[in-house]
Amino acid sequence: AGADGNIRFWDVSSASADSTLSLSQTLTVNAEVRDMELSRPTNGKTMLTVAHGTTVSFFDLTDGPGKLLHAHKMPIHFRDEGGATLHPDGTKFVAGGSDLWVRVFDFATGEELECHKGHHGPIRCLRYAPDGKTYATGSEDGTIRIWKTDP
């Protein structure tokens, strides 16, 4: 992924003796990519979650070329920090960034379900635990917080 909004997939099985790889696919989003997560929710799909600009996009990579499922506009921007993570059951996602808030959204509609404050600096990273019962956020303030998924 790059500042040009292109997410490139390289075919590592095509590597030649001089380490040249062939490009197998490119997905394009509307801004610089800040964060990506590859996951396999319990619905069996292979999902790519991408935080870029003021949007979180979800691509289904299950059957070959990525298919955009949702692109939800966020109340925050991902210019300098932040990201998003998809819940293991695929029904919601968490996003956070420069405004210090951690928000939970509905996957299908993008509706904000919860909003939490606990950091004193921008959110740098977020990830759900494999069982989905908690998620962790890391901040520029030097803290890592563990949140319950359904308080």
Side-chain angles (χ1 to χ4, degrees), residues 6 13 20-21 25 34-35 39 60 62 70 78 80 92 95 98-99 102 106 108-109 119 136 148-149:
N6 287 313
S13 65
T20 303
L21 299 174
Q25 176 183 186
R34 177 58 46 209
D35 182 46
S39 61
D60 180 355
T62 306
H70 300 290
F78 303 107
D80 300 316
K92 56 190 159 192
S98 59
D99 70 349
V102 178
D106 181 81
T109 66
H119 289 292
K148 288 184 180 179
T149 297

Side-chain angles (χ1 to χ4, degrees), residues 14-131:
S14 71
S16 61
D18 65 356
S19 299
T20 303
L21 299 174
S22 62
L23 184 64
S24 63
Q25 176 183 186
T26 301
L27 300 174
T28 302
V29 294
N30 64 3
E32 179 178 357
V33 174
R34 177 58 46 209
D35 182 46
M36 294 191 306
E37 174 188 64
L38 187 63
S39 61
R40 182 167 274 199
T42 55
N43 63 12
K45 295 181 180 277
T46 300
M47 299 293 297
L48 180 65
T49 303
V50 182
H52 57 98
T54 56
T55 305
V56 174
S57 296
F58 298 93
F59 294 91
D60 180 355
L61 304 178
T62 306
D63 298 317
K67 175 185 171 190
L68 179 64
L69 296 180
H70 300 290
H72 297 303
K73 191 90 165 148
M74 295 285 103
I76 57 173
H77 65 79
F78 303 107
R79 281 192 299 269
D80 300 316
E81 59 265 322
T85 181
L86 182 61
H87 189 276
D89 72 6
T91 61
K92 56 190 159 192
F93 66 98
V94 175
S98 59
D99 70 349
L100 316 184
W101 295 91
V102 178
R103 293 178 170 91
V104 180
F105 298 90
D106 181 81
F107 172 75
T109 66
E111 175 188 358
E112 186 175 307
L113 304 173
E114 301 171 26
C115 186
H116 306 284
K117 183 160 185 179
H119 289 292
H120 299 287
I123 311 301
R124 294 285 188 190
C125 55
L126 313 91
R127 288 298 179 258
Y128 271 105
D131 65 7

